Amino acid sequence: MKLEERVNAIAELGERLSGLADAELDIWTANAYRRNSWFTPEYVKLALEGIVLMLEQESLKKWVGTYQIQTEVPKIVGIVMAGNIPLVGFHDLLCVLISGHYAAIKTSSQDEYLVKELVKLLFEIEPKFKRNLDFPEQLKVMDAVIATGSDNSARYFQHYFGKYPHIIRKNRTSVAVLDGSESDDQLHLLGSDVFQYFGLGCRNVSKVYTPENYDIPRLLDVWQSFSPILEHHKYKNNYDYHKSIYLVNREPHLDTGFSLWYETSELVSPISITYHQRYHNLDEVKDILRQNEEKIQCVISAINLPGALDFGQAQRPAIWDYADNVDTMEFLGQL
């Protein structure tokens, strides 16, 4: 397939996803939820909306145009996908297909259904992609690997795949930096960055940095609109568990009735908890961010910080926003 054919087919995939009939979308969301109850219909639709935005033809062509894509001898690229949020591995698949290589996909058991439905739709649009894509039982024959998982699984990936050219991703999280000038609307958008996908994504904000005199009750009052999250049984189980631990251990914390606010220097918070740390000045925050740059995926702030995203944009990556800031297309172009 020529590059133009691949780009046009991928752009049409975005259009087809945008135009999915309600009945078909209901089937997708119901089946995904039945297989993984973290994947609520609301969040499956949100993930699909993000992919549709990513695949807008103008953005797609702008992105592709920044690379010299000339794959004369296609390679087999193993893709080990995570399953923490719906279709989180799609971008890696997109990069491999656009680059002209072959994708050998190992889906997470948590997200197998949605990935395969998306691929099925892509095959309807362009059957030639069947030559470039497969779901082997085991990744045995390949020339390169892109693997995403936890810090523990990354050690496993390094052991088994380290001999191949690779991108191996570990745990990451995102943070917000506030200065007290934020409006209620901005704070509400920050709530989306915290609570969307139940906080399970590496782009979800798990920690908030504030000045010493910051009005925390105001922030938590704004977040009350997210209280329906407690209706989800798995989230509620996490909230009840961590709340009981804090109470038994007499750990100082704030309780919104659906989430917990805990002051600590630690970075990655469990589900239902937002970590908090006070700062004296912005230089102190910048030092912390530099020291933890290998653990931080996104920084959300209205302050002029390097690479900071606007409130509400954590789970809206553009097509050129790469996980761990590693350019996947550049990696594939060097194979």
Side-chain angles (χ1 to χ4, degrees), residues 223-248:
W223 284 1
Q224 282 298 316
S225 60
F226 294 95
S227 61
I229 196 172
L230 199 64
E231 296 172 8
H232 189 275
H233 65 287
K234 283 191 174 182
Y235 179 91
K236 185 178 186 301
N237 288 343
N238 278 270
Y239 166 75
D240 289 340
Y241 170 77
H242 293 298
K243 178 179 178 177
S244 66
I245 294 295
Y246 283 165
L247 290 174
V248 168

Side-chain angles (χ1 to χ4, degrees), residues 143-197:
D143 302 297
V145 179
I146 302 172
T148 305
S150 65
D151 289 349
N152 287 333
S153 61
R155 286 191 286 270
Y156 166 87
F157 295 153
Q158 188 66 49
H159 175 74
Y160 283 95
F161 305 138
K163 63 183 178 182
Y164 303 101
H166 60 264
I167 296 175
I168 295 177
R169 306 192 187 102
K170 303 178 182 179
N171 279 342
R172 287 210 176 203
T173 192
S174 298
V175 303
V177 182
L178 309 181
D179 67 0
S181 67
E182 296 82 14
S183 67
D184 284 0
D185 286 343
Q186 287 176 311
L187 295 180
H188 184 268
L189 289 171
L190 174 59
S192 297
D193 296 329
V194 172
F195 296 111
Q196 279 181 347
Y197 301 113

